[in-house]
Amino acid sequence: GTGALTLKMAPTASMSAPAECPRSASRSGSSVVTDLLLLLASALVFGLLGGGHCLGMCGGLMGALSLAIPAEQRSRRLQLLLAYNFGRISSYALAGLLLGLAGWAVGNSPLAMGLRIAAGLLLIAMGLYLAGWWSGLTRIEAVGRHLWRHLQPFTRHFMPVSSIRRAFCLGAIWGWLPCGLVYSSLLWAASQGSALESGLLMFTFGLGTMPVLLASGLAAERLSRLLRQRGVRITGGLLVILFGIWTLPGPHQHWLMGH
């Protein structure tokens, strides 16, 4: 079989292998839910434990945002920081949706198997990054620097951050800041072959990054230190690596899925 990612297409006979239709159709409901939950959990873990990288790149921005809140609005600081972060996460979801359209086009072609292999390998690379064993993913940040040069000037239109709307818009622009962690997550999400699923995965990834960045904006160092501890990062990295291995097509999937 081609694995879990093709099971959700089983009800349409023209989109799945004839020999697998009866079995795939009988398990499609539960398997699709299980696959989606595993993907969402992986996205959440990657975002949460990748927060150390986010703190290095964006922690200063959170601090600057806090300073940019007018004195008369300081009582609403938590609301403004939440709006800022949800703006950022919305941009992640939008990027996931757009790139997911390209992934959908590939997923409905003979390149689907190659896309699945790429997704598994990228997950393994993510796990290596989270565990601190390989940082090659950060090299793809150069891809977005040209776009960021055009977007960055718009940030001054929303300063000072005096309202929820301004905070949200500023965060939405911040979401396009060049970041290897975000780009690698985008490629992985798009490789799922569904635009909606890709957008949902990126939204969940963004939720995972929120605790550390929100804590940095509120000067909550204890949570930041916990999530940056080596043992926590290695544990999360190993979980993502195992999920990447599970994603790769091969005989191990038949064993894991009870075939």
Side-chain angles (χ1 to χ4, degrees):
T2 56
L5 290 181
T6 56
L7 289 177
K8 53 191 171 188
M9 297 189 293
T12 304
S14 61
M15 297 175 64
S16 58
E20 293 186 355
C21 285
R23 179 172 296 194
S24 296
S26 65
R27 338 177 38 250
S28 60
S30 61
S31 64
V32 166
V33 172
T34 300
D35 290 343
L36 182 58
L37 289 177
L38 286 172
L39 287 169
L40 292 175
S42 184
L44 190 66
V45 167
F46 187 51
L48 182 65
L49 298 178
H53 173 74
C54 294
L55 194 62
M57 286 195 64
C58 306
L61 289 174
M62 289 298 294
L65 172 66
S66 295
L67 294 175
I69 298 174
E72 62 272 15
Q73 297 288 338
R74 292 294 168 88
S75 61
R76 302 174 62 200
R77 184 171 64 161
L78 178 59
Q79 297 176 37
L80 293 173
L81 290 175
L82 283 171
Y84 193 60
N85 276 280
F86 273 110
R88 173 178 61 89
I89 294 171
S90 297
S91 288
Y92 292 170
L94 176 60
L97 184 68
L98 294 175
L99 200 58
L101 290 172
W104 171 82
V106 174
N108 288 278
S109 75
L111 297 175
M113 180 64 73
L115 193 65
R116 182 174 174 81
I117 293 173
L121 293 176
L122 193 54
L123 275 172
I124 294 172
M126 287 179 180
L128 292 173
Y129 170 80
L130 283 179
W133 295 329
W134 185 65
S135 58
L137 289 180
T138 59
R139 297 172 187 170
I140 65 175
E141 289 174 5
V143 174
R145 287 175 188 162
H146 180 72
L147 175 63
W148 179 244
R149 280 198 298 269
H150 293 282
L151 291 176
Q152 188 176 18
F154 290 100
T155 59
R156 65 174 64 101
H157 297 301
F158 304 103
M159 304 287 278
V161 186
S162 56
S163 67
I164 297 294
R165 183 187 66 82
R166 285 190 169 215
F168 183 88
C169 292
L170 193 60
I173 296 174
W174 175 30
W176 299 95
L177 181 74
C179 175
L181 188 72
V182 173
Y183 292 164
S184 58
S185 300
L186 269 173
L187 292 174
W188 166 65
S191 71
Q192 305 308 314
S194 165
L196 291 177
E197 192 171 297
S198 177
L200 181 59
L201 286 173
M202 287 307 298
F203 184 83
T204 306
F205 163 80
L207 288 178
T209 65
M210 184 181 284
V212 170
L213 292 176
L214 196 59
S216 69
L218 297 172
E221 292 296 326
R222 183 175 299 178
L223 177 60
S224 298
R225 285 199 302 269
L226 173 64
L227 293 176
R228 283 183 290 175
Q229 287 182 359
R230 181 166 177 77
V232 175
R233 288 176 62 85
I234 288 177
T235 300
L238 288 174
L239 289 174
V240 176
I241 289 171
L242 288 174
F243 185 64
I245 294 173
W246 180 85
T247 301
L248 290 171
H252 62 286
Q253 283 207 335
H254 294 277
W255 178 77
L256 287 170
M257 294 162 60
H259 284 249

